[in-house]
Amino acid sequence: MKFRPLHDRVVVQRVDAEEKTKGGIIIPDTAKEKPQEGKVVAVGPGGRDEAGKLTPLDVKAGDRVLFGKWSGTEIKLDGEDFLIMKESDIMGIVA
């Protein structure tokens, strides 16, 4: 991918949602919600504090993260869908 986010921005690719429930019921596409979990594809260098020092991000490429339902801006790069969001929109890293 030839895209590098700036400042404290992160590029995330959504992880596919489950096709069926734990009980075995298949969920049709029209009833699925967008997943709130994704894989970090690229990160910016970090934000700057009040003194102008660079503050590195806590997430890195390859991390699996959880984010809010309405977080980020949807973009299309190389025919694939991604989200660009600030690191503060990410709620946590899935271990």
Side-chain angles (χ1 to χ4, degrees):
M1 178 169 66
K2 296 181 180 183
F3 181 81
R4 184 175 56 95
L6 300 176
H7 307 295
D8 64 343
R9 300 227 171 25
V10 178
V11 179
V12 176
Q13 186 171 30
R14 287 187 195 268
V15 175
D16 291 332
E18 291 293 322
E19 297 291 321
K20 38 175 148 164
T21 65
K22 290 181 183 183
I25 299 171
I26 296 174
I27 304 168
D29 287 339
T30 54
K32 286 183 192 171
E33 288 191 22
K34 290 185 179 179
Q36 296 173 324
E37 188 174 337
K39 180 180 154 195
V40 176
V41 178
V43 297
R48 299 238 178 232
D49 63 10
E50 292 155 9
K53 286 179 33 181
L54 191 65
T55 307
L57 302 180
D58 290 330
V59 296
K60 60 187 180 305
D63 283 348
R64 201 171 173 106
V65 295
L66 294 176
F67 49 87
K69 188 179 261 188
W70 309 110
S71 297
T73 302
E74 294 184 358
I75 61 165
K76 191 170 243 164
L77 294 170
D78 299 331
E80 293 189 62
D81 293 326
F82 295 96
L83 287 168
I84 296 179
M85 63 183 72
K86 288 188 168 244
E87 185 189 35
S88 59
D89 291 339
I90 295 174
M91 293 187 256
I93 300 171
V94 179

